[in-house]
Amino acid sequence: MNSEERIDKLQRIIDTQTPEYQEKVQWRNEMKLMGVFEIPLDHLIYNKYNGRILSRTKSLETQGHEVDPETPDGKALIEKLLWDSKADRNKKTMEDLQRYGQKRVGIVTKDGVIVDGNRRAMLLSKVGHTHFKAVILDVRMIDDPKEIERLETMYQMGEDEKVDYNPIEKYLKVDTMHEKGFSEKEIAECMGISVGEVSDRLAVYKTMVDYLAYLGYEGMFTQLDGREDPFINLTKWIKKYRGGESNSGFDNYDEGDVDDLQTIAFDYIRYKWEGKDFRKIAEGQKGSHFFGNKEIWTTFRDAHIEKVDPINQSEEEIDLTSHDLSATLEARDNAWQKKVEGPLKENWNKRSVDLDSIKDSSRPVDLLDRALSALSRVDADNEHFEGDDVLEKVKQINHISYELKKALGG
């Protein structure tokens, strides 16, 4: 059924049905009472760009896949994306629909595109219902896309149900609206957030796009999953340290140092480094993170360049022709994570010890306890306890011990 046929079908419903009741809908800057109709599901199509699955459809289109909701294949694909977006919640909603039927009214355009209620329509179909309760707007999707975008956002992301959304979707939605000419104030009103939050989300989205470009994953928004918090943190760091004016960074750092911070953080984000540990890279006051101490930062950066950069440079080219590029990239990331796990952990752990030692410099007994504990674990019978490097470190320890003993008058 094409657009014109759906328009005729829906118009016939409007002309022949008595609305079950009326629903208030905020449309074109005013609340309007609109009739609620029982519409056969086969008269409707999904909105492939609805906020719940926006990252998925954009990622597929990046791969050259056409997502056409008017075709059986496109319809099935969108239903799968809608289901996968919140499988656990969908199961509970299905049970509710089976027991009580559709509670919340949907919104559709005059040409049958579902503006609000894509997930509900999909679940109703799964439980065997043949109709969808909705109000029918007096425009087609293409007639007033900006106003429909406003309406969809208010009803999907400006209400309680927004908690069901993949976190990445809200950043895509903010950028999409911004690109369509919405002001930050308008976006804030639609999404039920502050103007400041809109600005923050636009900044985080830019960091996400830079990350995808760094990996050669442009447009593959699925690869952002599970990484929202470190992107928020990194965006704050970039904003704070750019310009070399923050007292939280080490003295006289420059733009090149901030660039290094960003690319190293990208690698830790790709690994999905634990949030609290990730923040130790550059979060807080000067003495609480690696970027706040020049010696620690330089050592951390140089070790990363030495051990991790060669692994990055040796990765195979991305197969952009892959039928399922998202799965290919996920496998690529998993293989990379196994290779860099040792170097990342070793570097982070050593610098963390260094930082803690500096913090504890005014508590010598604590430092001595820590050093004694570490030395007591050294196994002189281990096969690796040999060579000039080991001998040199033992000599250094002996010298430091001797100097400390002298300082105590011993």
Side-chain angles (χ1 to χ4, degrees), residues 275-322:
K276 181 180 178 183
D277 290 343
F278 179 80
R279 291 192 290 273
K280 205 165 188 176
I281 295 174
E283 181 83 14
Q285 298 301 311
K286 179 176 289 191
S288 62
H289 56 82
F290 302 163
F291 198 72
N293 181 285
K294 184 172 185 178
E295 182 179 354
I296 289 177
W297 174 255
T298 301
T299 307
F300 179 67
R301 179 201 63 205
D302 291 350
H304 190 92
I305 291 171
E306 178 186 354
K307 298 293 181 64
V308 178
D309 278 10
I311 297 174
N312 292 345
Q313 292 162 11
S314 67
E315 281 194 281
E316 294 182 1
E317 291 292 320
I318 302 168
D319 180 10
L320 297 175
T321 65
S322 170

Side-chain angles (χ1 to χ4, degrees), residues 241-301:
Y241 295 121
R242 282 292 180 206
E245 298 175 354
S246 175
N247 292 327
S248 296
F250 63 83
D251 293 342
N252 301 316
Y253 72 87
D254 58 28
E255 291 299 293
D257 294 311
V258 181
D259 291 338
D260 290 337
L261 169 61
Q262 179 168 315
T263 55
I264 290 172
F266 280 163
D267 284 338
Y268 278 88
I269 289 173
R270 187 182 183 190
Y271 185 84
K272 292 188 176 180
W273 204 253
E274 197 277 326
K276 181 180 178 183
D277 290 343
F278 179 80
R279 291 192 290 273
K280 205 165 188 176
I281 295 174
E283 181 83 14
Q285 298 301 311
K286 179 176 289 191
S288 62
H289 56 82
F290 302 163
F291 198 72
N293 181 285
K294 184 172 185 178
E295 182 179 354
I296 289 177
W297 174 255
T298 301
T299 307
F300 179 67
R301 179 201 63 205

Side-chain angles (χ1 to χ4, degrees), residues 23-245:
E23 183 83 5
K24 285 185 177 180
V25 177
Q26 190 171 335
W27 176 240
R28 289 176 174 164
N29 296 319
E30 61 178 290
M31 295 300 296
K32 291 187 176 182
L33 279 173
M34 296 186 179
V36 176
F37 296 93
E38 286 266 2
I39 306 170
L41 283 166
D42 61 9
H43 291 10
L44 304 172
I45 63 171
Y46 298 112
N47 174 17
K48 67 176 179 177
Y49 291 131
N50 87 81
R52 186 178 296 279
I53 58 172
L54 188 58
S55 67
R56 273 55 190 162
T57 50
K58 284 198 168 190
S59 295
L60 285 168
E61 290 178 342
T62 294
Q63 301 174 61
H65 296 304
E66 183 179 2
V67 183
D68 185 355
E70 296 195 1
T71 67
D73 287 346
K75 177 176 180 287
L77 175 57
I78 293 172
E79 287 180 336
K80 181 181 186 305
L81 295 176
L82 287 167
W83 178 264
D84 291 345
S85 69
K86 211 71 178 179
D88 291 343
R89 178 63 181 255
N90 286 338
K91 291 174 183 177
K92 293 179 182 178
T93 304
M94 278 181 66
E95 293 172 3
D96 190 74
L97 289 170
Q98 286 175 314
R99 182 175 298 178
Y100 303 110
Q102 182 185 348
K103 295 178 183 176
R104 182 175 165 184
V105 172
I107 302 172
V108 305
T109 61
K110 70 184 293 183
D111 57 339
V113 180
I114 302 173
V115 176
D116 180 52
N118 285 270
R119 184 177 75 100
R120 270 165 284 149
M122 177 270 295
L123 294 175
L124 282 167
S125 178
K126 277 187 174 293
V127 300
H129 286 245
T130 58
H131 288 71
F132 182 60
K133 294 179 182 179
V135 302
I136 303 172
L137 302 176
D138 60 355
V139 295
R140 297 173 301 168
M141 194 72 174
I142 62 172
D143 293 334
D144 198 346
K146 186 174 179 181
E147 192 59 33
I148 290 173
E149 183 86 39
R150 185 196 309 274
L151 179 68
E152 178 202 23
T153 305
M154 284 190 300
Y155 278 85
Q156 289 188 350
M157 290 192 165
E159 298 186 354
D160 292 340
E161 202 172 17
K162 63 187 175 183
V163 298
D164 291 343
Y165 281 64
N166 181 325
I168 303 304
E169 309 297 352
K170 62 190 179 186
Y171 299 98
L172 275 170
K173 175 60 76 172
V174 166
D175 178 71
T176 298
M177 296 187 74
H178 187 256
E179 288 296 313
K180 288 184 177 180
F182 286 90
S183 69
E184 292 188 9
K185 181 180 179 182
E186 288 176 311
I187 298 171
E189 290 171 349
C190 290
M191 299 187 76
I193 59 178
S194 69
V195 173
E197 286 177 282
V198 173
S199 298
D200 289 343
R201 289 185 186 181
L202 285 170
V204 172
Y205 177 79
K206 182 183 182 305
T207 304
M208 291 174 170
V209 170
D210 289 344
Y211 167 81
L212 293 177
Y214 168 73
L215 295 177
Y217 293 177
E218 289 91 339
M220 291 302 300
F221 298 102
T222 51
Q223 302 315 115
L224 301 172
D225 288 351
R227 295 175 169 91
E228 178 188 17
D229 285 347
F231 277 121
I232 293 172
N233 288 317
L234 177 56
T235 303
K236 289 192 297 184
W237 301 345
I238 294 169
K239 180 180 179 181
K240 177 165 63 173
Y241 295 121
R242 282 292 180 206
E245 298 175 354

Side-chain angles (χ1 to χ4, degrees), residues 349-368:
N349 288 336
K350 285 183 176 180
R351 303 298 77 79
S352 184
V353 170
D354 291 344
L355 186 64
D356 291 342
S357 296
I358 291 172
K359 289 182 190 176
D360 292 340
S361 59
S362 62
R363 299 196 297 272
V365 174
D366 290 345
L367 287 175
L368 289 169

